[in-house]
Amino acid sequence: MNTANLLEFDLEGLAAFCEKLGEKRFRATQLFRWIHQRGASDFAQMTDLAKSLREKLATTARVEALPVLTQHESKDGTIKWLFDVGDGNAVEAVFIPEDDRGTLCVSSQAGCAVGCRFCSTGHQGFSRNLSTGEIVAQLWFAEHFLRKHLKRNERVISNVVMMGMGEPLQNYTALVPALRTMLDDNAYGLSRRRVTVSTSGVVPMIDRLGADCPVALAVSLHAPNDALRDDLVPLNRKYPIAELIEACKRYLAHAPRDFITFEYCMLDGVNDQPEHARQLVELVRTHGISCKFNLIPFNPFPASGLLRSPQPRVLAFAKTLSEAGLVTTVRKTRGDDIDAACGQLAGDVKDRTRAAERMAQRRVMSERPIVLHPVRKTIPQEH
Ligand code: SF4
């Protein structure tokens, strides 16, 4: 018999499901707490639910996690899981412990159709969107695994960043109920400031997110002008920088934080020159947007043909931005030894879009990309 996986539902969805079983809303709240706060998957355990309800659930519903294919723990405490999502596809989630927080980086798609040049997921192509349940299952598993692993009775994951595989705003319908579950006090109870959606710039969906479920917003900018960004983040050809920044400004009216985080992956000789930093300052001034910059050391992988900017150049770039009054941080790389660092999440993707092939062609065609200094031709070592 076909049963419903209850991880697919936010509280509203679960209430509707319970109603169909002839149950009141408060039963859905109890059930939701058992699943998300206590990590229960066996209805027989849920002793404060009426026996009749438990029996109904046993024949109509299930709480089903994603099978874990591998788990790797870095010497810095970062843990990466590879989850099987069926049909030859696998996605990754990464837990990053820090002194004052525990962050889980979650995937939203098996692969990604955007095809950013510096991104390992982008090079793999796209297979399909994850369902709400598959997004939530990453958090559900990680939170309850970590409580046991770290022998903690309280919440371990304090922050979620939708920065794993995929462009979350191209999977909007599944994303929003997943975000609502993360925020719900009867589930994970994360504050809106501690849940971040990272996008490469799907402008119409930025507006919808602001209206439907505003959380912190990070934007993968990576270039200060359209010519360079068209090359690095192909979605820019559809939604150029000026449109994107105006959408960010509109988002700020709803956002839980009063700034947008711009992510900027530092690529040697491509986007890391003093001129690029000056153009960024100019861009922000022209649009008058409240923002923060996060400079990310690139994690090279052979297919990209790109290299990491040397640290002194990253620091000089950060200095130019800071001196112009822009709050700028340089991201520490974490989990390098288990390929869990930013841009390294690759999973396994059955590419249905021939994106990998197209990207290989683009690499050939862009022998001389639009850069101030040409990309070095040396192939980096394995990461
Ligand atoms: S950086 Fe994000 S949007 Fe770009 S290809 Fe990678 S996963 Fe997709």
Side-chain angles (χ1 to χ4, degrees):
M1 183 184 169
N2 236 352
T3 55
N5 186 359
L6 301 188
L7 294 181
E8 295 289 346
F9 298 130
D10 60 9
L11 186 52
E12 278 309 309
L14 194 58
F17 179 81
C18 285
E19 213 167 279
K20 278 198 213 137
L21 298 180
E23 298 288 338
K24 298 242 160 44
R25 189 190 169 91
F26 80 95
R27 291 291 178 205
T29 307
Q30 281 178 308
L31 185 54
F32 205 55
R33 286 189 186 147
W34 269 106
I35 296 169
H36 296 288
Q37 294 186 340
R38 302 174 75 163
S41 56
D42 178 359
F43 301 122
Q45 268 187 315
M46 304 180 182
T47 43
D48 60 352
L49 297 183
K51 191 152 175 272
S52 59
L53 172 56
R54 282 185 269 150
E55 282 167 2
K56 277 188 232 168
L57 289 170
T59 56
T60 55
R62 67 190 196 282
V63 179
E64 190 181 344
L66 294 171
V68 178
L69 293 173
T70 58
Q71 173 180 312
H72 294 283
E73 187 161 357
S74 158
K75 52 185 180 328
D76 67 15
T78 300
I79 302 179
K80 180 174 82 168
W81 295 278
L82 183 66
F83 295 103
D84 185 359
V85 291
D87 207 14
N89 293 306
V91 300
E92 293 181 329
V94 180
F95 173 66
I96 306 140
E98 288 171 278
D99 292 343
D100 60 341
R101 71 183 76 178
T103 303
L104 188 71
C105 178
V106 170
S107 293
S108 56
Q109 297 180 309
C112 182
V114 176
C116 301
R117 268 186 66 191
F118 49 85
C119 172
S120 191
T121 305
H123 280 260
Q124 287 189 310
F126 175 71
S127 179
R128 68 170 175 87
N129 283 329
L130 298 188
S131 69
T132 299
E134 288 168 328
I135 297 171
V136 170
Q138 298 168 60
L139 173 59
W140 185 76
F141 170 82
E143 174 64 34
H144 298 291
F145 167 85
L146 289 164
R147 282 191 206 178
K148 282 191 207 113
H149 184 64
L150 303 172
K151 298 188 177 48
R152 293 219 334 232
N153 282 328
E154 64 207 356
R155 186 167 74 185
V156 178
I157 294 167
S158 60
N159 294 57
V160 170
V161 291
M162 297 301 306
M163 292 185 186
M165 297 167 68
E167 163 53 69
L169 294 188
Q170 285 186 340
N171 185 14
Y172 191 79
T173 319
L175 175 73
V176 169
L179 295 177
R180 290 194 173 127
T181 301
M182 294 171 194
L183 301 173
D184 200 306
D185 284 338
N186 294 300
Y188 302 91
L190 301 177
S191 92
R192 290 180 184 277
R193 302 161 69 93
R194 289 175 176 268
V195 175
T196 302
V197 167
S198 175
T199 178
S200 56
V202 192
V203 164
M205 294 299 153
I206 292 176
D207 286 321
R208 276 187 68 185
L209 187 69
D212 293 341
C213 189
V215 291
L217 186 70
V219 170
S220 297
L221 192 61
H222 309 305
N225 60 62
D226 283 323
L228 182 51
R229 195 165 189 269
D230 282 353
D231 184 51
L232 295 175
V233 183
L235 193 66
N236 195 70
R237 293 176 210 147
K238 193 161 182 195
Y239 305 114
I241 293 177
E243 269 184 47
L244 172 59
I245 296 194
E246 288 305 311
C248 291
K249 279 173 71 177
R250 292 192 295 276
Y251 191 84
L252 281 173
H254 310 275
R257 291 179 182 272
D258 56 2
F259 61 86
I260 301 289
T261 303
F262 287 130
E263 309 281 355
Y264 198 97
C265 184
M266 299 292 291
L267 304 167
D268 184 18
V270 176
N271 64 355
D272 63 351
Q273 301 299 303
E275 175 59 15
H276 294 128
R278 286 193 289 273
Q279 286 179 16
L280 279 181
V281 172
E282 188 53 35
L283 184 70
V284 169
R285 284 201 180 132
T286 308
H287 289 273
I289 180 154
S290 166
C291 62
K292 186 182 133 180
F293 277 87
N294 191 13
L295 305 183
I296 306 168
F298 174 57
N299 289 296
F301 57 99
S304 71
L306 299 165
L307 294 173
R308 179 183 287 192
S309 300
Q311 185 71 351
R313 203 177 305 147
V314 176
L315 296 178
F317 201 93
K319 190 162 175 262
T320 305
L321 299 184
S322 301
E323 284 178 355
L326 303 176
V327 177
T328 305
T329 51
V330 178
R331 186 182 289 173
K332 270 199 289 179
T333 61
R334 297 290 303 265
D336 258 351
D337 53 334
I338 56 166
D339 286 356
C342 194
Q344 282 181 324
L345 299 193
D348 276 316
V349 175
K350 253 197 181 163
D351 184 18
R352 297 189 198 284
T353 60
R354 298 176 65 207
E357 208 176 294
R358 283 201 310 276
M359 288 195 74
Q361 277 169 6
R362 263 173 64 205
R363 275 199 309 279
V364 175
M365 283 158 60
S366 62
E367 278 286 275
R368 290 253 157 207
I370 308 153
V371 293
L372 290 177
H373 296 271
V375 180
R376 282 195 217 145
K377 295 293 185 312
T378 45
I379 300 294
Q381 299 296 304
E382 281 282 327
H383 43 259

